[in-house]
Amino acid sequence: MAEQNPISKKEMTLSLSDIEHTAKICRALSSETRLEILRCLVGKPMTISQLAEQFYLPISSMSLHINTLKDAGLITVLPKPGIRGTRKLCGISAASVFLDLFAHENRFVRKPPAYIYMPIGHYCNCEVTPPCGIATANSYLYEEDSPYGFYSTDHINASLLWLTSGFLEYQFSNEALHTGEVDHIEFSFEICSEAPGFNNDWPSDICFELNHRHIVTLHTQADYGGRRGIYNPSWWNDSNTQFGEFKIIHITHTGCYINGQKVSDETIESLALLDGYCFTFTLKVDADSEHVGGMNLFGKFFGDYAQDIIMKVDYV
């Protein structure tokens, strides 16, 4: 019978980057009997019983050889109806097997992204106008509407911050920007407006800045309430702010983007994010804005997203 056409068969390339897979195939090829079986199947498909008869082996022994070859991906085994029930028809599925000893050295591996987690209480500077407040996962940090809580040494434990106007400024280390060729930087956080109690129709203009340069004015629609935030602690009153809007901002070599829409021509280079050892990240409610609706900034123990501020660095 004519040899099967190998064009439709797969070419198997093994490498040392996947030792387990390579070892499985090498084990399947390490038996002279299994190599003889492969030579038979190159000529034509055969059932397990036909192979057992040809090799003078019990069906059970031939089945073990067939399972080994099948698990390695070298053959296929398909049921075929017969006069005396279903038979298992074996066919060759590989055209070649090649071991590339240097593939794992030559293979391009993209550097995994770096994540820098900034607790919302770790601001380095602030300016706060009452009504305002600060809370940890366990309690209010200070009495409401007093800015003193923002200057307490315990402010680093904050998991919810709110203010009517003013700013919160953080310092991010830029070490991760120097460990590889940066493709883009992503910032994500949960934020909303600030009103007494809550108000689902309370817009606010919140400025986002990097190194004191304006990137975008975030327009939040409300100080959200009416249902509990997913991660709010049990002691938090239902009449208070409950959750915010999740914001993701991308900084690239061509501009700044939100949801794929360009919002600024500032770039990683123009913002000087690689200069020195750190850069500033600022969220600000300007008293001269059209909508001075305040700001609530959520940490990982409040709101709908279990996170503080996260900077993600993606590499080329």
Side-chain angles (χ1 to χ4, degrees), residues 18-286:
D18 191 344
I19 297 293
E20 184 178 355
H21 177 250
T22 298
K24 178 187 285 188
I25 296 176
C26 289
R27 280 194 296 270
L29 296 172
S30 65
S31 162
E32 291 185 9
T33 300
R34 288 195 286 272
L35 291 173
E36 291 285 355
I37 292 171
L38 289 174
R39 184 160 65 178
C40 287
L41 294 178
V42 165
K44 64 176 181 179
M46 299 177 67
T47 65
I48 293 179
S49 59
Q50 287 172 331
L51 288 166
E53 183 179 347
Q54 181 161 332
F55 282 84
Y56 302 101
L57 289 174
I59 292 289
S60 58
S61 298
M62 180 55 67
S63 294
L64 289 174
H65 286 304
I66 293 300
N67 287 335
T68 301
L69 293 169
K70 177 186 175 185
D71 290 343
L74 295 166
I75 67 170
T76 58
V77 180
L78 300 174
K80 181 180 180 181
I83 299 175
R84 297 181 181 179
T86 301
R87 298 181 298 166
K88 293 183 178 180
L89 187 66
C90 307
I92 200 80
S93 62
S96 63
V97 179
F98 175 69
L99 174 60
D100 187 344
L101 292 174
F102 292 90
H104 67 293
E105 294 288 342
N106 300 327
R107 185 167 60 95
F108 172 77
V109 179
R110 184 173 183 176
K111 181 178 172 65
Y115 293 87
I116 294 85
Y117 302 92
M118 180 66 72
I120 65 167
H122 283 220
Y123 49 84
C124 62
N125 195 13
C126 69
E127 183 179 288
V128 178
T129 301
C132 59
I134 183 169
T136 70
N138 300 314
S139 65
Y140 288 101
L141 186 58
Y142 203 83
E143 62 185 64
E144 282 195 88
D145 299 334
S146 171
Y148 280 114
F150 286 80
Y151 300 97
S152 163
T153 55
D154 292 328
H155 74 74
I156 61 172
N157 299 316
S159 199
L160 181 62
L161 300 164
W162 62 99
L163 51 91
T164 302
S165 65
F167 66 85
L168 297 168
E169 182 175 295
Y170 302 83
Q171 283 187 332
F172 275 88
S173 166
N174 64 10
E175 180 184 9
L177 307 184
H178 291 280
T179 61
E181 186 178 353
V182 177
D183 181 72
H184 67 272
I185 306 167
E186 175 186 297
F187 294 98
S188 62
F189 48 90
E190 184 178 0
I191 197 168
C192 74
S193 312
E194 162 56 18
F198 69 86
N199 189 325
N200 288 325
D201 184 16
W202 189 265
S204 186
D205 297 333
I206 303 171
C207 297
F208 171 65
E209 298 178 352
L210 289 174
N211 272 344
H212 304 293
R213 301 187 68 161
H214 181 266
I215 304 299
V216 64
T217 298
L218 303 169
H219 303 284
T220 56
Q221 298 301 313
D223 180 357
Y224 294 98
R227 68 155 175 88
R228 289 193 66 79
I230 295 172
Y231 295 100
N232 289 354
S234 58
W235 64 269
W236 188 247
N237 196 294
D238 288 351
S239 64
N240 293 334
T241 301
Q242 297 297 318
F243 57 93
E245 301 173 13
F246 192 61
K247 303 294 185 181
I248 302 177
I249 302 169
H250 290 90
I251 316 298
T252 76
H253 298 287
T254 61
C256 304
Y257 300 81
I258 296 180
N259 298 326
Q261 181 178 354
K262 191 172 187 179
V263 294
S264 172
D265 289 328
E266 297 282 9
T267 66
I268 293 173
E269 290 75 23
S270 69
L271 292 166
L273 300 183
L274 280 80
D275 292 359
Y277 298 100
C278 66
F279 59 85
T280 61
F281 170 109
T282 307
L283 293 168
K284 177 167 58 177
V285 178
D286 196 323

